[in-house]
Amino acid sequence: QVQLVESGGGLVQAGESLRLSCAVSGRTASSLAMAWFRQAPGKEREFLASITWRWRDASTYYADSVKGRFTISRDNAKNTVYLQMHSLEPDDTAVYYCAADGAGYVGPRDYEYDYWGQGTQVTVSS
């Protein structure tokens, strides 16, 4: 139905910025919603941000922990969702996952999302 592939992770020093990309293929109906999660070693998966796929009047949602620092966006023509991250800290080190829900769910519950990418590693050094 929907396939997701993350890219853009890497090793970054504290205070720097990084942009992650999620390439979306398959069925991309207007009801689709996209989200970013992350999971650090020994921790549960954490919701970061979500966005509706529709072209007009897209809505975004953020976890309080990343508001003002991370920005989610999408380019429907390129079938890509982005996560722009600024002022990265060592605590941001994790595997970052792209997720999608065909019914338009944009909340923080990871088990509600139908599709997941393989993840991309982000490591922030001091």
Side-chain angles (χ1 to χ4, degrees), residues 31-37 46-54 56-68 70-74 81-83 104-109 113:
S31 60
L32 191 71
M34 308 295 301
W36 285 97
F37 288 78
E46 176 188 11
F47 171 81
L48 300 174
S50 60
I51 188 170
T52 55
W53 186 255
R54 62 180 184 269
R56 295 175 62 85
D57 300 324
S59 299
T60 58
Y61 308 87
Y62 294 94
D64 290 338
S65 60
V66 301
K67 281 184 177 178
F70 289 7
T71 301
I72 188 171
S73 62
R74 84 286 184 276
V81 178
Y82 304 97
L83 184 67
Y105 178 75
V106 291
R109 297 191 292 270
Y113 290 87

Side-chain angles (χ1 to χ4, degrees), residues 86-123:
H86 296 289
S87 302
L88 286 167
E89 305 169 355
D91 285 346
D92 293 318
T93 296
V95 177
Y96 284 70
Y97 295 93
C98 182
D101 182 73
Y105 178 75
V106 291
R109 297 191 292 270
D110 56 351
Y111 53 83
E112 294 283 358
Y113 290 87
D114 300 320
Y115 311 101
W116 293 85
Q118 295 179 343
T120 184
Q121 176 71 45
V122 173
T123 302

